Amino acid sequence: TTLTDIASAIQALGSVVTAVSDGTDTITITNAEAGNIISVTAIVTAGASQATALYTATTPAVGDVTSSDLDAIAANDNAWFGHSMVYEDDSSQLAAIAWCAANKKSGFYLRTEIRDLGAASNLSSLWITDSTYTGTAKHLEVAVASRILSLTPGSYTAAYKSLELASTTQWTTTEETLLRDYNLNQYSVTAGVNITFNGVGTNGGYIDLYIGAVYLEARMQEDVFALMTSQNKIPINNNGINQVANTINARLQQSIIDEYLLNDPQPVVNVPLASALSAIDKSNRLLTGISFVAYASNAIQTIQINGTVVA
């Protein structure tokens, strides 16, 4: 009865669910919001009642985010590209960055203190905010992802963007140097305008170029698959090989229109002659030896001007 009364009192004070089993000396308290289980155990050593009971309170440790956690998310629903999370510890962020790299996703992660995560990959970006941020204003990385992932790759950079529901942070000159050294991105005020800068991944590569490459690969796979499903047969001869080459080139030309690729120099698609294919590949109906070279259309994010005024 005493344990039940205690459980009821605890439940009345917060977003928790309590449970007491008859004949036991354990109260189980579950945080209804976070799902963290706390077990409070009263140890009765003698008699039907005791003035002072001994007890222990235990909270199961929440481990770092691992690749298995992200595998489980993808197994449940993989129709997404951008990933973010509330965990800021190095282990979780490194695991998430590596997972994004292996699964061709893009991570957007938050740091509330300036420290080096290391050159893990260029597939995920780290956004730094003041450690005093609270509430929705804290989630700068989500605001950035929302701002750019709806745009066609090639049509934007992640720098010089104003964001909704995000607050800026001003850094000292020394801190600015560390931001560059550690490949951390910021949202601050320049000339009275709130802007992001400079939109890099964890090893310094620009995040928009990576997203564009993943986008190009996905669309090219779709185009080639559509070609194969629209034909009764694509012969393994020069004519069939050229059909594949034309499909690849059409996607590269669309990427030029999207401004992800340069038109000068033009992309070059290399394909083999049917006579150069091995007998084994032909027997396996496998077309190999196709490649292309294309140049990304970079962006201007810093301008240096030198001038001389002569009186």
Side-chain angles (χ1 to χ4, degrees):
T1 302
T2 301
L3 291 179
T4 301
D5 291 342
I6 293 172
S8 298
I10 292 172
Q11 184 165 332
L13 293 176
S15 300
V16 297
V17 176
T18 59
V20 175
S21 300
D22 290 340
T24 69
D25 57 1
T26 302
I27 307 173
T28 300
I29 307 166
T30 303
N31 184 318
E33 295 178 351
N36 295 322
I37 298 175
I38 302 172
S39 295
V40 180
T41 304
I43 303 173
V44 179
T45 57
S49 64
Q50 185 168 312
T52 303
L54 303 175
Y55 68 89
T56 59
T58 59
T59 303
V62 178
D64 297 337
V65 172
T66 67
S67 60
S68 297
D69 298 321
L70 296 171
D71 286 339
I73 294 173
N76 180 63
D77 181 3
N78 200 29
W80 53 273
F81 179 68
H83 176 255
S84 185
M85 61 186 181
V86 298
Y87 299 93
E88 291 185 46
D89 60 280
D90 289 356
S91 176
S92 293
Q93 291 191 340
L94 284 168
I97 287 170
W99 190 91
C100 285
N103 292 273
K104 297 178 181 176
K105 308 287 189 182
S106 182
F108 295 82
Y109 304 121
L110 188 74
R111 312 286 276 181
T112 50
E113 59 177 305
I114 299 178
R115 64 187 191 274
D116 185 11
L117 187 64
S121 76
N122 66 340
L123 310 187
S124 299
S125 57
L126 301 174
W127 295 84
I128 182 74
T129 68
D130 189 295
S131 59
T132 61
Y133 274 16
T134 58
T136 57
K138 178 179 179 179
H139 297 292
L140 170 62
E141 80 287 11
V142 177
V144 174
S146 300
R147 177 70 174 83
I148 67 174
L149 289 183
S150 61
L151 303 174
T152 301
S155 67
Y156 67 89
T157 73
Y160 298 101
K161 300 296 181 288
S162 294
L163 306 172
E164 297 292 336
L165 300 178
S167 301
T168 59
T169 301
Q170 292 306 117
W171 307 99
T172 66
T173 300
T174 300
E175 288 170 335
E176 290 277 359
T177 299
L178 288 174
L179 294 181
R180 302 287 80 73
D181 291 344
Y182 294 166
N183 298 318
L184 297 172
N185 302 290
Q186 62 178 293
Y187 188 50
S188 56
V189 180
T190 300
V193 180
N194 298 343
I195 59 168
T196 57
F197 197 81
N198 58 342
V200 294
T202 48
N203 79 342
Y206 288 98
I207 190 68
D208 57 289
L209 293 181
Y210 163 70
I211 291 174
V214 175
Y215 179 84
L216 173 60
E217 180 183 38
R219 299 292 82 76
M220 189 174 291
Q221 288 175 337
E222 292 170 353
D223 294 345
V224 172
F225 183 74
L227 170 68
M228 298 181 74
T229 57
S230 67
Q231 305 293 318
N232 289 328
K233 173 183 177 180
I234 301 177
I236 194 163
N237 57 24
N238 289 336
N239 179 58
I241 294 172
N242 286 334
Q243 289 185 59
V244 176
N246 291 338
T247 300
I248 294 171
N249 189 60
R251 174 50 58 184
L252 295 174
Q253 293 301 314
Q254 181 60 52
S255 291
I256 291 175
I257 295 172
D258 295 338
E259 298 186 346
Y260 177 66
L261 296 179
L262 292 175
N263 65 351
D264 186 14
Q266 278 279 326
V268 176
V269 180
N270 301 302
V271 296
L273 293 173
S275 59
L277 298 176
S278 70
I280 294 177
D281 285 345
K282 286 183 177 180
S283 66
N284 289 328
R285 299 187 172 187
L286 173 63
L287 176 57
T288 61
I290 294 182
S291 64
F292 69 85
V293 177
Y295 294 86
S297 175
N298 223 317
I300 298 172
Q301 291 188 183
T302 306
I303 301 172
Q304 177 179 320
I305 302 171
N306 298 316
T308 301
V309 176
V310 179

